[in-house]
Amino acid sequence: MASPFAEAIGDFHTALKMRPVWMALAQEDIGEQHRRTTLGPSWLLINYLLLVGTFIVVFGYQTDPRAFARYAASGMLVWLYITDIVTLSTSLFVREASFIKGTRLPFSVYVLRLLMQAIIRFGYMALGWAGIMILTGAPVSPGWLWIVPALAVILLATVPAIIVFAVSGAFFPDLQFIMQNLVRVGMFLTPVFWGMDGRIAGLRGHLYTFNPFTHFLEMFREPVLHGTLPVPSFVICTAITLALWPMALYLLGKTRRQIVFVV
Amino acid sequence: MSGASIKASEIGLTYRLMRRLSFARGRHAPVHHRVETEGRKQFVTALDGVSFELSSGDRLGLIGHNGAGKTTLLKVLYGVYEPTSGSVDISGRVDALFNINLGFRQEATGRRNIVLRGLVTGWKLDQIEARMDEIIAFSELGDFIDMPLKTYSAGMSARLAFSIATSFDPEILLMDEWIGAGDADFRQKAQTRMRELTEKAGIIVLASHSKELLGRVCNKVMTLEDGAIKSLQSIDEWKAAQ
């Protein structure tokens, strides 16, 4: 039997070549969630604007409202993307049971399909984000280009994260509900809308520094707000990504043959 | 088409019955296969030492009680399960018709499902588009083709599934008890198509409880019991033994 890594890489490689399949399935997912609705996927945009708008109204009075709007909008954009990934991936293989038991698609097809789905959802929210940037007169500078590597790292971390959550969720179904709760609490434990004033001492400081999600948020937010690259956050996120990949490949390779029996 | 073949040698499939790591204890799906306990671990032997060879034009019927391993064997041949021992050598493009709920999207229209199935089987969009009208015509679904699959009757779903699976030129077709759902006319059409497929040097493996159906379609019959081959006979031997 091949090593778990070789098996997982083979699985992933085959899946990459099946791009039309996961693209079509991802489109299907987005369409299906909004079938029979009038506004369709625009609801994703509305959800985002409502959430960010609420935070701006409730917390924006204490500081520069425009800067706060940009701070909260950027933080929320990345946070909601993370939320999507975490909650959708724990139940991924169970939701796909019909295809897993009825076809021989590589498992990575489902992973890439979820990634695609999350990117489409991110795209709709990014429209709202861009609107807020324009309305608040954000000073666009060359420093904004740091957004590109930031998004690249986020993307590269997403794939192994989906694999780890999806495999764990298949063997440990309760994880789905644990993560749902953690994510709900996580919005407050992560500096999505607080921390702009720099008052991050004490417990808040620890939450800020030792929360890995902070750094994924800051990596995107700092270029937007200050046009600079947050080097420490960048290093931390890259390290997390590099650690996630071997873990994900090992888990996938090790459990690939058993998944069909547990979902 | 250059002659399909299947060579299975000593296939075994044993899997561990996962006591899912869950806070919810003590719920187990009933299993019909052989369950062995080793310490706290439970293992299910779903297939045990299954060997056979099929070549162009063969139509193998699988018969046996529920849980004898018919579907499991089909899924091993299709590649959904990987055997834990032995090996399967298959040459030829394989398509399979399992339970209609497997590998179809209930929310999507019939037309969309044709596209998805085609992509999953490895065809390109233009190739699928080229076959679309023929598939729809064969399925006799008419305007229903643009309705979601969940609105279909069991027979309509089966017709669509059969039309799709047989339209993408499979050289080996695996079928699991699908035919009960179609009406008499469609069954007739389906049989004609299956005959054409085997005449083009294809192979059919069909699991069914219907002896009458196996008698009409197959040239070999394999009787499975507890995951092992009880007998593998030509259709005449099998009929004589009934």
Side-chain angles (χ1 to χ4, degrees), chain B:
Chain B
M1 231 180 255
S2 64
S5 72
I6 299 178
K7 185 171 188 290
S9 37
E10 294 289 319
I11 311 176
L13 182 71
T14 303
Y15 61 92
R16 185 166 158 203
L17 202 56
M18 275 296 174
R19 184 175 266 276
R20 282 207 213 172
L21 289 166
S22 165
F23 297 131
R25 286 283 174 206
R27 282 178 307 159
H28 270 304
V31 248
H32 306 283
H33 312 288
R34 298 191 306 205
V35 182
E36 274 146 41
T37 314
E38 211 175 273
R40 288 188 57 195
K41 296 175 184 170
Q42 285 184 306
F43 292 92
V44 179
T45 304
L47 290 176
D48 188 9
V50 175
S51 304
F52 62 93
E53 270 182 61
L54 298 176
S55 52
S56 300
D58 271 341
R59 302 165 316 274
L60 175 69
L62 301 178
I63 199 160
H65 296 294
N66 289 327
K70 302 186 297 290
T71 306
T72 311
L73 179 56
L74 288 177
K75 287 192 173 179
V76 168
L77 295 178
Y78 190 42
V80 175
Y81 300 150
E82 285 182 39
T84 39
S85 63
S87 64
V88 192
D89 285 312
I90 289 183
S91 79
R93 209 172 20 254
V94 190
D95 210 331
L97 279 169
F98 297 122
N99 182 329
I100 182 68
N101 294 317
L102 298 184
F104 286 89
R105 289 187 77 95
Q106 297 297 318
E107 290 286 331
T109 63
R111 193 184 292 274
R112 186 72 183 147
N113 267 295
I114 296 176
V115 174
L116 292 174
R117 272 315 281 198
L119 288 173
V120 166
T121 320
W123 295 84
K124 297 207 162 48
L125 275 177
D126 52 335
Q127 293 171 314
I128 298 167
E129 213 46 59
R131 285 174 168 79
M132 185 65 83
D133 291 340
E134 195 266 320
I135 296 175
I136 297 172
F138 192 86
S139 71
E140 299 172 5
L141 282 168
D143 293 339
F144 267 99
I145 200 69
D146 290 311
M147 305 269 275
L149 219 62
K150 63 181 178 185
T151 63
Y152 289 16
S153 70
M156 290 160 75
S157 306
R159 263 155 36 200
L160 179 66
F162 183 81
S163 310
I164 297 175
T166 52
S167 297
F168 288 109
D169 293 338
E171 289 157 296
I172 297 171
L173 185 60
L174 311 170
M175 282 183 289
D176 191 7
E177 198 68 82
W178 63 276
I179 210 159
D183 56 33
D185 284 348
F186 189 77
R187 273 208 293 269
Q188 198 54 48
K189 242 169 75 172
Q191 271 187 38
T192 312
R193 186 171 263 209
M194 280 154 58
R195 198 174 312 124
E196 285 166 9
L197 193 146
T198 42
E199 276 164 9
K200 280 194 285 182
I203 294 178
I204 285 176
V205 183
L206 167 64
S208 178
H209 289 292
S210 162
K211 294 185 172 174
E212 187 259 332
L213 172 69
L214 294 182
R216 260 182 302 131
V217 174
C218 302
N219 68 339
K220 290 178 180 174
V221 175
M222 180 192 287
T223 311
L224 285 165
E225 197 172 84
D226 282 339
I229 298 180
K230 192 181 169 197
S231 65
L232 177 55
Q233 297 157 310
S234 74
I235 191 73
D236 296 329
E237 290 169 350
W238 180 71
K239 275 183 178 164
Q242 294 304 302

Side-chain angles (χ1 to χ4, degrees), chain A residues 10-262:
Chain A
D11 184 282
F12 197 76
H13 185 72
T14 319
L16 275 183
K17 287 190 292 191
M18 304 181 84
R19 201 170 57 94
V21 177
W22 41 269
M23 295 281 272
L25 287 172
Q27 279 172 11
E28 205 60 35
D29 291 329
I30 299 280
E32 203 163 284
Q33 279 150 8
H34 303 280
R35 189 154 289 161
R36 299 199 312 262
T37 60
T38 315
L39 294 177
S42 312
W43 273 113
L44 295 166
L45 172 61
I46 297 169
N47 284 345
Y48 169 77
L49 288 176
L50 263 178
L51 202 52
V52 174
T54 306
F55 279 114
I56 295 174
V57 170
V58 176
F59 297 106
Y61 63 92
Q62 46 194 345
T63 45
D64 173 2
R66 281 164 184 265
F68 180 78
R70 293 197 287 273
Y71 185 87
S74 306
M76 194 59 80
L77 181 65
V78 180
W79 177 255
L80 287 179
Y81 173 79
I82 294 173
T83 308
D84 269 353
I85 295 295
V86 170
T87 50
L88 290 174
S89 56
T90 42
S91 58
L92 177 63
F93 291 152
V94 177
R95 277 183 287 127
E96 298 298 346
S98 141
F99 270 68
I100 291 175
K101 291 178 180 171
T103 65
R104 51 201 160 150
L105 292 174
F107 285 94
S108 305
V109 162
Y110 309 113
V111 173
L112 291 169
R113 162 191 183 179
L114 177 56
L115 174 74
M116 211 47 233
Q117 194 189 340
I119 291 176
I120 297 175
R121 292 169 68 96
F122 181 85
Y124 279 101
M125 294 192 292
L127 287 178
W129 173 82
I132 293 174
M133 291 303 121
I134 294 168
L135 283 178
T136 57
V140 181
S141 69
W144 278 44
L145 284 175
W146 290 119
I147 293 175
V148 177
L151 289 178
V153 172
I154 292 175
L155 203 64
L156 282 175
T158 306
V159 178
I162 295 177
I163 296 175
V164 170
F165 282 122
V167 172
S168 315
F171 290 91
F172 183 49
D174 298 55
L175 185 68
Q176 192 190 138
F177 299 99
I178 295 174
M179 292 319 291
Q180 273 174 17
N181 280 301
L182 279 183
V183 157
R184 207 167 294 151
V185 179
M187 191 164 87
F188 298 95
L189 296 183
T190 309
V192 178
F193 56 89
W194 54 268
M196 186 180 140
D197 47 14
R199 288 190 315 189
I200 42 173
L203 183 59
R204 267 161 68 107
H206 292 313
L207 281 175
Y208 185 93
T209 314
F210 296 109
N211 183 341
F213 296 125
T214 302
H215 303 288
F216 282 97
L217 260 59
E218 288 299 4
M219 201 166 55
F220 175 79
R221 190 159 55 187
E222 224 182 276
V224 172
L225 294 183
H226 309 297
T228 51
L229 173 75
V231 178
S233 294
F234 210 88
V235 171
I236 291 170
C237 294
T238 308
I240 291 174
T241 307
L242 289 178
L244 273 173
W245 269 103
M247 194 169 134
L249 290 176
Y250 181 80
L251 269 179
L252 180 64
K254 200 74 186 158
T255 59
R256 207 170 61 91
R257 290 154 197 263
Q258 277 105 52
I259 291 172
V260 63
F261 297 113
V262 294

